[in-house]
Amino acid sequence: MPVLRIEVFCADKDSLGEGPLWDVAEERLYWIDSYGPAVHRCDPNGGDKRTWMLPEPVGSMALRAGGGAVLSLRSGFHFLDFETGAVTRINETQPGELRPRLNDGKVDRQGRFVAGSMDFEEREGVGKLFRLDPDLSLTTLDTGIICSNGPCWSPDGRTLYFADTTKRVIYAYDYEPETGAVRSRRVFTSFEKLRGLPDGATVDEEGYVWSCEVYSGRLIRFDPLGVVDRIVGLPVQSTTSLIFGGADLDVAYVTSMARPMGNEYHREREAGCLFAVHGLGVRGLPEPRFAG
């Protein structure tokens, strides 16, 4: 059996670390600080770190097939040019609305970027789930979301998982790979009897869903029926998201936040660091690039 080992991969503390992304082609790890706001990148050893500052709070990012990145910023989708640092708006998602901001997102197997918005105050269902197609057209997939998080797909790409953190639930949708349409939303699993809330998520090569339980500091693995399969404790309670990376896609990279959790300040000195979890005995799936 592999030996579980958890280490600090990057000790620079993020206010709200999120959205870790391992790029197989570059063998580089990307992640964001939502309230930096910034995009970070480093090599497999945690070195050669580079940071791009952004003009608005950022919820997620994906790399583009043609270079650069696509971002979900507070106001809408944008492109980031890594060479110049220029940020260019693609479209606003909810113009004129003050409460929502775009949050977590990922790319499907066909190169579409799916991201949801959330209520800044995390109280009302003003958020929506969007799909940005490679031709830059925008489609609303769902509404009534309080805090969008954790979009990810089954290995065959036909099931989309998506969390509403405030409602303590992960949903599953039937997902049409050819069109990107969703239907038949149902509850995949509930966190009502767990300690924390569902945040960022990913799917391993066996089709099991890994959710980062925020405010509890645990990784929870669910089987394809939504039953808890495994729980892994982490050094801080403020963990936010994860992705599998490394040469064999068998290292879980986990982000965390240094900002206060509600009215409580973190007692852990490593809150806001990025962690690498070795020895889980499972492999992830390569993350696709946005085709636009």
Side-chain angles (χ1 to χ4, degrees):
M1 288 290 293
V3 177
L4 184 68
R5 185 176 87 256
I6 304 174
E7 61 186 18
V8 173
F9 184 76
C10 180
D12 298 335
K13 296 184 178 182
D14 292 315
S15 175
L16 178 52
E18 283 280 7
L21 169 65
W22 175 265
D23 186 62
V24 172
E26 294 183 3
E27 293 191 334
R28 293 290 185 273
L29 180 72
Y30 292 80
W31 73 100
I32 62 173
D33 183 347
S34 290
Y35 290 143
V39 170
H40 303 302
R41 183 187 70 192
C42 64
D43 66 24
N45 299 313
D48 192 27
K49 185 181 178 185
R50 184 169 177 187
T51 295
W52 292 265
M53 301 307 297
L54 304 173
E56 300 177 20
V58 56
S60 54
M61 65 161 287
L63 296 179
R64 299 176 65 191
V70 58
L71 308 172
S72 64
L73 299 187
R74 174 178 180 172
S75 62
F77 292 103
H78 294 67
F79 287 138
L80 169 63
D81 186 319
F82 288 133
E83 296 298 323
T84 66
V87 176
T88 306
R89 177 179 291 173
I90 302 169
N91 50 47
E92 287 188 82
T93 45
Q94 294 174 255
E97 299 182 47
L98 300 179
R99 292 279 290 273
R101 74 165 176 88
L102 275 183
N103 200 41
D104 206 358
K106 280 194 178 72
V107 176
D108 71 8
R109 309 278 187 262
Q110 291 69 39
R112 312 178 190 97
F113 189 42
V114 173
S117 60
M118 61 173 284
D119 179 8
F120 248 121
E121 299 179 14
E122 299 185 30
R123 291 190 295 111
E124 304 293 335
V126 298
K128 299 180 179 180
L129 181 62
F130 299 100
R131 188 189 74 234
L132 181 68
D133 286 354
D135 65 1
L136 306 186
S137 61
L138 188 65
T139 302
T140 299
L141 300 177
D142 205 353
T143 60
I145 298 159
I146 301 176
C147 183
S148 61
N149 266 308
C152 51
W153 285 264
S154 58
D156 65 4
R158 295 190 174 276
T159 302
L160 168 64
Y161 301 100
F162 179 76
D164 191 327
T165 298
T166 308
K167 295 178 183 177
R168 307 181 71 101
V169 67
I170 299 177
Y171 296 110
Y173 302 77
D174 292 337
Y175 191 82
E176 179 53 60
E178 288 74 22
T179 65
V182 298
R183 65 180 187 277
S184 304
R185 188 182 84 177
R186 64 270 187 194
V187 172
F188 170 69
T189 194
S190 170
F191 277 58
E192 286 297 333
K193 295 183 180 180
L194 296 172
R195 295 193 322 219
L197 307 174
D199 205 328
T202 191
V203 175
D204 64 31
E205 66 176 2
E206 298 174 16
Y208 285 59
V209 177
W210 289 78
S211 178
C212 200
E213 190 186 29
V214 70
Y215 307 134
S216 177
R218 305 191 299 180
L219 300 180
I220 302 183
R221 190 191 195 215
F222 297 93
D223 72 15
L225 297 178
V227 177
V228 173
D229 171 77
R230 186 176 178 186
I231 297 177
V232 179
L234 296 165
V236 298
Q237 290 184 312
S238 61
T239 48
T240 54
S241 190
L242 80 155
I243 199 70
F244 285 98
D248 296 320
L249 293 178
D250 60 352
V251 180
Y253 294 101
V254 183
T255 50
S256 68
M257 59 179 165
R259 70 169 185 162
M261 299 188 297
N263 295 321
E264 294 186 15
Y265 285 88
H266 301 291
R267 291 183 292 272
E268 306 104 335
R269 64 181 181 181
E270 295 171 337
C273 295
L274 191 150
F275 300 90
V277 184
H278 303 263
L280 290 171
V282 299
R283 288 164 44 94
L285 297 166
E287 286 296 314
R289 289 190 173 208
F290 180 61

